[in-house]
Amino acid sequence: MSALLLGWLLRHWKPLAAGLIAVAALVWFNHAAEQRGAMAERQIWQARAARAAAAAIAQAQKRTSDREAALVAASERARRYADARHPIAQEVIRYVQSPAAAVACPDAAGVHIGQASIDAANAAVAAAR
């Protein structure tokens, strides 16, 4: 280096050092502010993700409870329908074992059993709605 440059540096080293310290402080403060902003955004994203997960869990639990309620209702309808069909099934068995079942055209008891089974099926369909 030349003597002039060395002389100039010796004379002006304090302002140069102060400038370098100021630039380093600005860089450090900028980095710290950027990190605080990133942390704040990360907390916002995590809160959103937690709310979305809680909403998904609540929705899944509601769907599960609705499904279980529907299954219980279907089971109850099936039980009521089976209870309604049981006497008709007994009548059909007795009718088939009787001599009236051997004829081609059913008698009044056969017609009554047929109509009772139709009524029971219609009631089961109406109850299912």
Side-chain angles (χ1 to χ4, degrees), residues 1-15:
M1 287 190 175
S2 71
L4 285 173
L5 181 61
L6 284 176
W8 187 83
L9 285 174
L10 286 175
R11 202 170 0 154
H12 298 325
W13 73 270
K14 288 181 183 177

Side-chain angles (χ1 to χ4, degrees), residues 60-71:
Q61 288 174 342
K62 183 177 179 332
R63 285 181 179 167
T64 301
S65 66
D66 290 349
R67 181 176 177 270
E68 288 174 357
L71 289 173

Side-chain angles (χ1 to χ4, degrees), residues 77-91:
R77 280 193 308 271
R79 187 193 59 77
R80 280 185 284 148
Y81 184 62
D83 290 346
R85 275 191 346 209
H86 183 72
I88 297 170
Q90 294 300 322
E91 281 187 47

Side-chain angles (χ1 to χ4, degrees), residues 77-119:
R77 280 193 308 271
R79 187 193 59 77
R80 280 185 284 148
Y81 184 62
D83 290 346
R85 275 191 346 209
H86 183 72
I88 297 170
Q90 294 300 322
E91 281 187 47
V92 168
I93 291 171
R94 270 184 273 157
Y95 181 75
V96 168
Q97 291 173 350
S98 72
V103 296
C105 185
D107 62 354
V111 172
H112 172 70
I113 292 172
Q115 189 60 45
S117 63
I118 290 171
D119 292 341

Side-chain angles (χ1 to χ4, degrees), residues 30-88:
N30 183 42
H31 176 72
E34 185 178 332
Q35 291 300 317
R36 283 192 307 271
M39 181 67 72
E41 284 294 319
R42 186 175 302 118
Q43 289 173 348
I44 290 170
W45 294 341
Q46 288 172 344
R48 282 185 190 155
R51 282 193 306 268
I57 289 170
Q59 185 180 29
Q61 288 174 342
K62 183 177 179 332
R63 285 181 179 167
T64 301
S65 66
D66 290 349
R67 181 176 177 270
E68 288 174 357
L71 289 173
V72 167
S75 172
E76 180 63 25
R77 280 193 308 271
R79 187 193 59 77
R80 280 185 284 148
Y81 184 62
D83 290 346
R85 275 191 346 209
H86 183 72
I88 297 170

